Amino acid sequence: MPNSCGATLAPRQVESSNGQMNVSSKIFSLSFHKSGTTSLHNYLRLQGINSLHYPKKIGGVNYAHKIAPVVDDPQSVLSRLMPVIEAYDAHCDAPWGGLAPELLAAFPAANFVLITRDPQQWWESLAKHWRLDLCGRYLSAFEYVQYRRYMEVDRSRVYTRADRASFISAIERHSAEVVRIVPADRLLVCDLSDTNKAQRLAKFLGLREDVEFPHLPPTSARKPLKRLYRTFRRRLFGSDLSGAR
């Protein structure tokens, strides 16, 4: 079974001269988006860890565009994202869930977090986030990498609510696969509804236990106009994967 968060792992953080907490090994969230990835990112930042939520544009480089030509080759995707990985200690959101085997091989000392969620609730959250009640949506390059192991994906296809069963199957298969391949002492699995998430994360990663897990409203609620603009722009012009810039 995955780590139950008994205090079996030594603390992995060291305070630097500027007060920033540095970790001696990488932390990767293997959770699919809409599974508390933004909250996890903010929790790690509150702990002083140099965390990155979504690696789209870093240092002037658009990494979604950079990986677009190689999305069907996970090893090449990982290679092109390596500068981002090296620049931060923790990584959340897409595309990391789709690169679990490659991350395991490349970072033998890394620790992994999988936040699960009721698949039906997850799908409704995703559909709302993608505004599927208004129009369909192309997958981004990061989303393509995340889903390609678990469902048939097409860079030029528009996905709608009619694809519900495929996406639910994908997240269920993903959770089972992560538990199967990641060593138990390097993996923390907890549900988004677990009220003890913060304490379990703290024990697993060797962090402070007085930091709460932030509960943020959905992105669509926090930035409704921006989300609406992006929804229609993607529907009309495609994504970074389908050729839009």
Side-chain angles (χ1 to χ4, degrees):
M1 291 294 292
N3 193 287
S4 60
C5 292
T8 59
L9 301 179
R12 295 173 172 81
Q13 57 182 26
V14 178
E15 187 168 356
S16 65
S17 58
N18 62 4
Q20 184 81 0
M21 300 302 290
N22 298 318
V23 292
S24 58
S25 60
K26 299 294 183 182
I27 301 168
F28 294 99
S29 167
L30 299 180
S31 315
F32 275 9
H33 48 189
K34 309 313 298 175
S35 298
T37 56
T38 303
S39 294
L40 175 62
H41 162 67
N42 281 283
Y43 168 81
L44 294 172
R45 292 190 66 182
L46 288 171
Q47 289 279 14
I49 291 176
N50 186 23
S51 175
L52 177 67
H53 176 237
Y54 191 70
K56 182 169 182 177
K57 195 169 186 179
I58 309 296
V61 178
N62 189 317
Y63 282 92
H65 293 171
K66 191 170 183 177
I67 71 166
V70 297
V71 287
D72 286 306
D73 181 358
Q75 196 59 55
S76 294
V77 171
L78 185 63
S79 177
R80 295 191 180 198
L81 292 176
M82 200 61 73
V84 174
I85 295 174
E86 292 175 348
Y88 293 85
D89 293 316
H91 299 271
C92 305
D93 211 84
W96 311 115
L99 297 170
E102 291 73 29
L103 291 169
L104 275 169
F107 298 94
N111 293 299
F112 300 90
V113 175
L114 176 67
I115 298 179
T116 58
R117 187 176 186 182
D118 176 82
Q120 310 294 334
Q121 293 179 359
W122 170 81
W123 165 251
E124 288 304 317
S125 178
L126 181 65
K128 186 177 294 185
H129 179 70
W130 282 356
R131 298 196 182 266
L132 295 186
D133 290 325
L134 293 177
C135 58
R137 190 179 192 278
Y138 294 95
L139 294 181
S140 71
F142 291 144
E143 292 160 357
Y144 184 100
V145 171
Q146 175 179 266
Y147 289 114
R148 64 175 295 279
R149 293 186 188 271
Y150 308 104
M151 59 185 282
E152 292 186 12
V153 286
D154 186 334
R155 67 177 63 214
S156 60
R157 183 185 167 195
V158 174
Y159 290 85
T160 70
R161 273 194 174 270
D163 296 296
R164 172 181 175 275
S166 295
F167 281 94
I168 287 179
S169 175
I171 194 171
E172 291 175 336
R173 292 177 60 194
H174 171 68
S175 296
E177 180 71 0
V178 167
V179 171
R180 185 183 71 82
I181 68 172
V182 180
D185 62 344
R186 294 170 59 193
L187 175 65
L188 170 66
V189 180
C190 59
D191 194 81
L192 188 61
S193 64
D194 187 347
T195 57
N196 294 318
K197 291 187 297 294
Q199 292 77 14
R200 299 185 66 195
L201 283 161
K203 290 181 179 179
F204 177 64
L205 297 171
L207 303 175
R208 290 166 44 202
E209 297 189 30
D210 60 340
V211 176
E212 296 184 359
F213 193 87
H215 296 279
L216 302 175
T219 308
S220 55
R222 285 182 281 127
K223 302 177 181 179
L225 295 179
K226 186 175 183 179
R227 290 298 311 167
L228 191 62
Y229 165 76
R230 288 182 174 178
T231 294
F232 284 108
R233 185 180 186 279
R234 170 148 327 166
R235 181 63 183 87
L236 293 172
F237 302 109
S239 71
D240 44 58
L241 186 59
S242 58
R245 292 293 186 270

